[in-house]
C-alpha cells in the first residue's frame, strides 16, 4: 500500500462527515418553495416520460411542501388515476374541490369515481355543485343522468342526457346512449333519430355506426345493418383494438357468425393474438371444441405465462366437465392478473354449480367491481336471484345489461321472466312484445309469449304462439316438443298427432325426433307408444344414456316393475350420469331400501354437488339415524344453499335443527315449509312439534289436528297423536 493510500484512508472518515454535514446544511438551507418547485419539476418530467408511479411520489412530496397548491393536487390526482391508485386519486380530487369548489374538471372526475364506486349520495352532491357553478357545461347533467339510470328511472335519465347534449352538441357517445334508452322505452323512432344524429355528428365514430347497425339488425333491416357494420370495420381497419371491440359487440348482440368471420379475417391478416384469443373463446361458446383446442394450443405455446391463455384453458376444461382443473386454471389466471373479471365470473360459476352459493356470489360480485360493464357477471347474478325468487334483485342485474345493450336477448328474457314468475303479467308481456318487435325472425319472442299465455291459462293462444316459434326455427326440437304439448293441452289431439307423424316422417332415423315423440306420448298417457319411442331412440343412439333414462322415468311414473332394471341399465352405460343415481336413490328409498338409496345419493353428489334432491333426501335419511345428525346437517345445508326456496328442503333442514335442539334455527324453516306444503301431513307435524317446544300450545294443537286429518299413517303419526293427547290434557 502506498503512502498516498494510507493518507487517503486516514482522512476518509472526517471527509465523509464533512460531506454529510454539508449536505444537511444545504438541505436545511433550501426554502420550502425551492423544494416544492424541484419536486413538481421532477414530477412533470416523469409524466412526460409516462413514468406515472415515480411522478406520484414526486407530487406527494410537493404537496407536503405546499399543502394548499391546487394545481399540484390536481396533477397528483391525474397521475394516481393513471396507475389505478384510486384511493390517492379520490383523496386528491376531494382536496382540490375543497380548496377550489368551482374546479370543473376535478368535480367532474370525482363525481364519476363516486358513481363507479356506488357512492350515489356523494355523486349527487357533486352533480348539483356542477350544475350550480357551471350550468352552461354538461358534466353535472351527465352525472344526474347516470344516477337516474342506475335507479332504473329511464325517463329522468333521458331528460338529463338531453340537457347535457344541449350544452355540448358534439357528444356522439351520449347520443348513442340516448338511442339505447329510447329503445328500452320501446320508442324505436326516437332511438333511430339519436343513432342517426350520432353518426352525423361524428361520421368516423365506430360506436355510432355499430349502434345504428345494431338497431337495423334488431329491426330486421339486414342490408342497412351490414352496411353500418362494414363501415365500422373500415373505420377500424388500422386498429387491432377497434376491430376486436367490434367483434365483441357482435358477440354480445348474438351475431356469432359475423363475429367469427371478422375475427378469423383479423387473425389471418395480422396474426393478432387478441383476435385469436377471442376467437378461441367464441368457438368454445359455439361448441367447436376441436377448433378451439387447435387455436388455444398455439397461443399457449407462444406465451405460457399469459393469464388469458390460462383463462381459456379453464374454459375448455369446464366445457369438458373437468371442474377441478378448470378451477385451477381460473385461479392461476387471477393470480397472474388479479383484475381479470372474467376469471372471477367463472370461478363463481363453478362454486354455484357445486352448491357453494355464498362463495359463488362473492366471486361474481368481485368481477362486477372490477368490470361493471361485464354482461356475463350480471347475467349470472340475475339467474341466481331469479331462481331464488329474489325478483327485484334479478331485475336490477338484468337491467344493468339492458341499459348498456337494449337488445341483449338473454338479459331481456331474464328481465321478462322475473315479472312472469311474480305474476306481473302486464310487465312481462311488454318485455316479450319488445322481443317480438325487435327480433321478428327470432323464435324467442313468441316462445316467451307462449309461456306467459300458458301461465295465464290461455292454452289455445299458447299453442298458436308455439307454432309461430317453430316457424322461425323449424329445426329446434325443443320448440317442436313444446308446440306438440301445447296442442295437446288445448285439446287439439288430432292436430298434434298429425304434426308428430309428419315430423317423424321427415327424418325417421333421427333419434332427437323420436325423443320428442316419446315425451309427447308420455304427456298424452300413451304409455305403450312412449315406450316404443324411447326404445327406438336407444336403438338409434346406443351410446347416449338419456333415452334409457327417459324410459326409466316412464316406468317409474307408471309403477312399472322394470324401472329399477332400466335405471341400472343407464348406469351400466354411463356410471357418471348423475340424474340416474338420484332417481335410483328415490326408487330404492320408496321401497324401504334406505342404505342402498344413500349409496346412490352420495354418488350423485360426488358427480354434482349442487344436486339438491340427492342432498335433501340423503339428509332426511341420515336424520332418522340420531348418531348421524352432524352429517345430516351438512347435507341439509348443502341442499338449502342450492334450493333456498324449496319447502321440502326447508322441512328437512328445519327438522334436523329440531332434533339437534336448535329451535331458533328450526322454527323459521319449518314455518316456511308448512306454508309451502300445507297438504303434507309430515310437514305439518314437524311444524307442530317446533310450535309445541316454543310453548305455542294452541297453534301446535291446531297443526297436529290438521296433520292427522290429512293422513292417519305418516312417518311420525304415532308421535303426533301422543303429543296431541298431551297438549289437550
Amino acid at each position: 500500500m502506498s503512502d498516498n493510500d494510507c493518507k487517503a484512508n486516514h482522512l476518509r472518515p472526517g471527509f465523509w462527515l464533512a460531506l454529510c454535514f454539508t449536505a444537511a446544511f444545504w438541505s436545511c438551507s433550501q426554502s420550502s418553495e425551492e423544494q416544492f418547485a424541484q419536486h413538481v419539476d421532477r414530477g412533470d418530467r416523469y409524466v412526460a416520460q409516462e413514468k406515472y408511479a415515480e411522478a406520484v411520489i414526486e407530487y406527494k412530496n410537493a404537496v407536503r411542501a405546499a399543502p394548499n397548491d391546487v394545481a399540484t393536487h390536481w396533477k397528483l390526482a391525474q397521475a394516481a388515476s393513471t396507475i389505478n391508485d384510486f384511493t390517492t386519486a379520490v383523496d386528491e380530487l376531494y382536496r382540490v374541490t375543497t380548496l377550489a369548489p368551482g374546479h370543473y374538471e376535478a368535480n367532474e372526475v370525482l363525481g364519476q369515481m363516486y358513481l363507479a364506486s356506488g357512492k350515489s349520495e356523494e355523486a349527487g352532491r357533486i352533480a348539483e355543485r356542477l350544475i350550480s357553478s357551471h350550468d352552461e357545461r354538461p358534466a353535472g347533467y351527465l352525472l344526474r343522468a347516470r344516477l337516474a339510470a342506475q335507479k332504473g328511472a329511464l325517463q329522468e335519465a333521458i331528460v338529463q342526457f338531453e340537457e347535457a347534449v344541449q350544452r355540448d352538441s358534439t357528444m356522439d357517445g351520449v347520443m348513442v346512449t340516448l338511442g339505447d334508452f329510447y329503445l328500452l322505452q320501446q320508442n324505436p323512432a326516437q332511438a333511430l333519430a339519436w343513432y342517426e344524429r350520432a353518426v352525423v355528428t361524428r361520421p368516423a365514430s365506430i360506436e355510432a355506426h355499430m349502434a345504428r347497425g345494431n338497431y337495423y339488425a334488431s329491426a330486421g333491416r339486414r342490408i342497412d345493418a351490414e352496411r353500418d357494420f362494414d363501415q365500422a370495420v373500415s373505420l377500424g381497419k388500422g386498429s387491432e383494438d377497434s376491430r376486436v371491440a367490434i367483434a365483441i359487440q357482435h358477440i354480445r348482440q348474438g351475431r356469432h357468425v359475423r363475429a367469427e368471420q371478422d375475427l378469423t379475417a383479423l387473425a389471418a391478416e395480422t396474426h393478432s393474438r387478441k383476435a385469436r384469443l377471442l376467437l378461441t373463446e367464441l368457438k368454445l361458446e359455439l361448441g367447436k371444441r376441436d377448433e378451439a383446442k387447435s387455436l388455444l394450443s398455439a397461443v399457449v405455446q407462444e406465451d405460457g405465462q399469459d393469464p388469458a391463455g390460462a383463462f381459456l384453458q379453464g374454459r375448455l376444461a369446464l366445457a369438458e366437465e373437468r371442474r377441478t382443473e378448470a378451477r385451477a386454471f381460473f385461479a392461476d389466471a387471477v393470480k397472474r392478473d388479479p383484475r381479470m373479471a372474467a376469471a372471477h365470473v367463472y370461478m363463481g360459476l363453478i362454486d354455484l354449480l357445486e352448491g357453494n352459493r355464498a362463495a359463488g356470489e362473492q366471486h361474481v360480485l368481485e368481477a362486477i367491481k372490477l368490470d361493471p360493464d361485464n354482461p356475463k357477471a350480471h347475467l349470472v347474478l340475475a339467474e341466481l336471484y331469479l331462481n331464488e325468487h329474489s325478483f327485484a334483485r334479478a331485475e336490477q342485474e338484468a337491467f344493468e345489461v339492458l341499459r348498456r345493450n337494449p337488445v341483449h336477448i338473454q338479459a331481456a328474457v331474464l328481465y321478462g321472466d322475473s315479472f312472469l314468475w311474480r305474476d306481473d303479467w302486464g310487465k312481462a308481456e311488454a318485455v316479450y312484445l319488445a322481443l317480438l318487435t325487435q327480433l321478428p325472425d327470432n323464435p324467442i319472442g313468441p316462445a316467451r309469449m307462449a309461456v306467459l299465455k300458458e301461465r295465464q291459462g290461455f292454452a289455445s293462444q299458447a299453442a298458436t304462439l308455439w307454432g309461430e316459434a317453430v316457424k322461425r326455427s323449424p329445426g329446434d326440437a325443443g320448440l317442436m316438443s313444446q308446440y306438440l304439448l301445447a296442442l295437446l293441452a288445448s285439446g287439439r289431439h288430432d292436430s298434434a298427432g298429425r304434426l308428430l307423424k309428419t315430423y317423424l316422417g321427415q327424418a325417421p332415423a333421427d333419434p332427437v325426433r323420436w325423443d320428442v315423440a316419446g315425451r309427447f306420448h308420455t304427456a298424452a298417457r300413451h304409455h305403450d307408444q312412449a315406450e316404443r319411442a324411447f326404445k327406438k331412440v336407444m336403438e338409434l343412439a346406443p351410446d347416449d344414456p338419456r333415452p334409457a333414462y327417459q324410459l326409466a322415468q316412464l316406468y317409474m311414473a307408471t309403477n312399472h316393475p322394470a324401472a329399477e332394471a332400466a335405471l341400472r341399465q343407464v348406469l351400466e352405460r354411463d356410471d357418471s350420469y348423475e340424474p340416474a343415481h338420484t332417481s335410483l336413490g328415490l326408487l330404492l328409498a320408496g321401497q324401504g331400501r334406505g342404505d342402498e338409496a344413500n349409496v346412490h345419493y352420495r354418488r350423485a353428489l360426488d358427480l354434482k354437488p349442487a344436486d339438491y334432491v340427492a342432498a335433501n333426501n340423503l339428509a332426511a335419511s341420515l336424520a332418522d339415524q340420531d348418531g348421524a345428525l352432524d352429517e345430516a346437517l351438512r347435507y341439509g345445508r348443502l341442499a338449502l344453499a342450492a334450493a333456498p326456496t324449496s319447502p321440502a328442503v326447508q322441512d328437512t333442514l328445519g327438522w334436523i335443527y329440531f332434533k339437534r335442539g336448535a329451535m331458533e334455527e328450526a322454527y323459521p324453516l319449518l314455518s316456511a315449509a308448512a306454508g309451502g306444503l300445507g297438504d303434507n301431513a309430515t310437514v305439518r307435524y314437524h311444524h307442530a312439534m317446533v310450535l309445541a317446544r316454543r310453548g305455542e300450545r294452541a297453534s301446535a294443537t291446531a297443526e297436529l289436528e290438521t296433520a292427522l286429518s290429512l293422513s292417519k299413517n305418516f312417518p311420525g303419526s304415532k308421535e303426533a297423536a301422543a303429543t296431541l293427547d298431551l297438549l289437550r290434557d
Side-chain angles (χ1 to χ4, degrees):
M1 183 182 293
S2 69
D3 290 341
N4 287 336
D5 289 334
C6 292
K7 290 177 182 177
N9 285 330
H10 176 72
L11 293 173
R12 189 169 289 122
F15 174 74
W16 282 114
L17 180 63
L19 277 181
C20 293
F21 176 80
T22 303
F25 177 81
W26 179 82
S27 176
C28 293
S29 68
Q30 270 194 307
S31 69
S32 60
E33 289 85 357
E34 290 172 326
Q35 292 180 48
F36 167 74
Q38 288 177 358
H39 286 305
V40 171
D41 180 61
R42 282 198 289 265
D44 290 347
R45 279 188 274 121
Y46 279 133
V47 167
Q49 297 167 17
E50 297 186 359
K51 297 180 177 179
Y52 297 106
E54 292 85 346
V56 165
I57 294 171
E58 294 298 336
Y59 289 144
K60 281 184 175 180
N61 288 328
V63 296
R64 287 192 193 101
N68 295 326
D69 188 82
V70 172
T72 308
H73 281 292
W74 173 234
K75 288 180 178 181
L76 175 53
Q78 291 175 294
S81 179
T82 303
I83 59 173
N84 296 328
D85 181 359
F86 296 119
T87 300
T88 298
V90 169
D91 288 345
E92 293 305 311
L93 289 167
Y94 180 78
R95 184 70 174 156
V96 172
T97 58
T98 301
L99 293 168
H103 195 297
Y104 179 80
E105 291 83 0
N107 276 293
E108 180 182 24
V109 177
L110 182 58
Q112 291 170 356
M113 286 190 167
Y114 280 148
L115 189 70
S117 61
K119 296 181 178 179
S120 300
E121 290 186 15
E122 292 89 336
R125 286 195 291 270
I126 295 284
E128 299 314 311
R129 183 191 300 168
L130 281 165
I131 290 170
S132 174
S133 60
H134 296 282
D135 182 63
E136 78 287 356
R137 300 179 75 174
Y141 293 99
L142 290 173
L143 266 179
R144 268 188 184 174
R146 287 165 184 148
L147 282 164
Q150 278 191 347
K151 297 174 185 175
L154 290 184
Q155 186 54 45
E156 175 60 20
I158 285 172
V159 169
Q160 298 303 322
F161 276 131
E162 289 181 343
E163 289 281 355
V165 172
Q166 285 182 19
R167 285 153 179 80
D168 183 353
S169 60
T170 67
M171 296 188 299
D172 56 289
V174 176
M175 296 171 191
V176 167
T177 300
L178 276 164
D180 291 346
F181 278 29
Y182 273 115
L183 205 55
L184 274 174
Q185 284 199 322
Q186 299 174 47
N187 189 337
Q190 277 288 76
L192 179 57
W194 279 107
Y195 295 142
E196 296 277 12
R197 185 170 170 182
V199 171
V200 170
T201 298
R202 189 160 162 252
S205 167
I206 292 173
E207 180 189 15
H209 281 287
M210 286 300 295
R212 190 172 66 176
N214 290 336
Y215 170 83
Y216 286 143
S218 69
R221 296 169 59 176
R222 292 177 180 170
I223 295 175
D224 292 329
E226 289 299 320
R227 187 182 301 118
D228 263 322
F229 296 150
D230 289 342
Q231 181 65 21
V233 170
S234 177
L235 290 167
K237 202 69 177 177
S239 168
E240 173 191 8
D241 287 343
S242 295
R243 292 178 68 181
V244 168
I246 290 168
I248 290 172
Q249 273 255 35
H250 286 308
I251 292 169
R252 290 181 174 179
Q253 298 284 350
R255 293 186 295 272
H256 295 137
V257 173
R258 172 79 197 223
E260 190 175 14
Q261 291 172 347
D262 287 355
L263 288 169
T264 301
L266 177 58
E269 292 167 19
T270 66
H271 202 58
S272 161
R273 182 175 178 83
K274 288 181 181 178
R276 287 181 292 137
L277 287 167
L278 186 57
L279 185 58
T280 302
E281 187 171 7
L282 177 58
K283 287 185 182 294
L284 284 171
E285 288 284 344
L286 297 174
K288 299 179 179 180
R289 287 187 201 167
D290 290 341
E291 294 177 41
K293 283 182 181 179
S294 176
L295 285 165
L296 181 56
S297 175
V299 296
V300 169
Q301 284 180 5
E302 290 172 2
D303 182 359
Q305 298 305 309
D306 186 352
F311 168 73
L312 287 172
Q313 286 176 293
R315 288 291 313 273
L316 177 60
L318 187 59
E320 295 178 343
E321 292 292 326
R322 295 182 282 118
R323 288 184 192 163
T324 301
E325 292 177 59
R327 185 191 293 278
F329 280 124
F330 294 138
D332 186 36
V334 169
K335 183 178 179 181
R336 297 181 196 180
D337 180 4
R339 299 190 61 79
M340 181 180 276
H344 282 285
V345 173
Y346 279 93
M347 287 176 74
L349 266 176
I350 291 173
D351 279 325
L352 292 172
L353 286 170
E354 295 182 347
N356 301 323
R357 187 217 178 275
E361 182 184 36
Q362 191 56 46
H363 273 301
V364 181
L365 288 172
E366 179 64 20
I368 291 173
K369 181 179 176 183
L370 293 169
D371 179 11
D373 294 336
N374 188 301
K376 181 74 173 180
H378 289 292
L379 293 171
V380 168
L381 286 184
E383 191 161 357
L384 171 66
Y385 297 148
L386 186 60
N387 289 334
E388 294 177 347
H389 292 185
S390 297
F391 298 120
R393 298 175 76 187
E395 288 153 20
Q396 179 62 37
E397 295 300 332
F399 181 76
E400 285 297 317
V401 179
L402 288 171
R403 73 184 180 88
R404 295 169 173 85
N405 179 359
V407 291
H408 194 292
I409 296 175
Q410 187 182 354
V413 169
L414 287 168
Y415 194 56
D417 285 356
S418 181
F419 295 122
L420 175 70
W421 286 22
R422 66 159 97 178
D423 291 338
D424 193 341
W425 293 334
K427 289 183 180 178
E429 185 165 8
V431 176
Y432 299 152
L433 281 172
L435 283 170
L436 273 166
T437 303
Q438 294 172 13
L439 302 166
D441 298 329
N442 194 300
I444 194 68
R448 298 319 297 163
M449 282 291 288
V451 173
L452 171 62
K453 295 305 175 185
E454 286 175 343
R455 195 172 180 91
Q456 291 175 312
F458 302 135
S460 182
Q461 291 181 39
T464 300
L465 286 160
W466 282 119
E468 289 298 318
V470 168
K471 286 179 185 176
R472 288 162 171 77
S473 184
D476 190 317
L479 292 176
M480 177 59 75
S481 183
Q482 292 291 343
Y483 184 29
L484 288 164
L485 294 176
L487 289 171
L488 194 64
S490 64
R492 294 151 68 182
H493 295 225
D494 292 343
S495 297
R498 287 193 297 272
L499 176 62
L500 179 60
K501 184 177 180 181
T502 301
Y503 181 64
L504 288 173
Q506 290 169 346
D510 182 355
V512 174
R513 297 191 179 220
W514 281 102
D515 182 70
V516 169
R519 293 170 188 271
F520 170 77
H521 288 306
T522 299
R525 299 184 184 279
H526 305 153
H527 298 145
D528 290 344
Q529 290 171 270
E531 182 180 19
R532 284 196 294 273
F534 288 132
K535 286 183 175 179
K536 183 69 173 179
V537 185
M538 292 167 65
E539 175 191 325
L540 294 169
D543 296 327
D544 188 346
R546 291 172 296 178
Y549 176 72
Q550 290 295 335
L551 179 61
Q553 292 294 298
L554 173 66
Y555 288 156
M556 287 179 69
T558 56
N559 294 316
H560 196 293
E564 181 180 344
L567 285 168
R568 294 193 183 281
Q569 184 180 2
V570 175
L571 295 174
E572 284 174 10
R573 293 184 177 207
D574 184 358
D575 184 65
S576 67
Y577 193 65
E578 166 265 332
H581 282 288
T582 301
S583 292
L584 186 52
L586 286 166
L587 183 66
L588 294 171
Q591 297 172 357
R593 297 155 67 184
D595 290 343
E596 292 179 69
N598 290 351
V599 169
H600 288 283
Y601 291 145
R602 291 180 191 280
R603 175 62 175 146
L605 290 165
D606 286 341
L607 295 166
K608 183 181 177 183
D611 183 342
Y612 75 90
V613 175
N616 180 68
N617 289 2
L618 180 56
S621 175
L622 293 170
D624 292 335
Q625 307 167 28
D626 290 338
L629 285 179
D630 288 345
E631 190 179 13
L633 180 62
R634 180 163 63 88
Y635 287 114
R637 285 173 171 168
L638 180 66
L640 189 71
T645 60
S646 166
V649 171
Q650 292 165 340
D651 175 68
T652 297
L653 183 57
W655 190 240
I656 293 168
Y657 278 128
F658 176 85
K659 296 188 78 170
R660 289 169 60 91
M663 297 304 133
E664 291 303 312
E665 290 85 356
Y667 174 68
L669 288 167
L670 293 174
S671 294
L677 287 173
D679 59 350
N680 186 292
T682 301
V683 172
R684 300 297 287 268
Y685 156 61
H686 289 166
H687 187 216
M689 295 302 285
V690 76
L691 288 171
R693 189 69 63 87
R694 287 166 58 90
E696 300 179 32
R697 294 175 63 92
S699 298
T701 299
E703 281 291 80
L704 286 169
E705 289 173 345
T706 300
L708 291 164
S709 70
L710 290 168
S711 172
K712 299 298 183 186
N713 185 24
F714 59 86
S717 56
K718 291 180 181 178
E719 293 85 347
T723 304
L724 182 58
D725 289 340
L726 288 172
L727 290 172
R728 284 171 171 169
D729 287 344

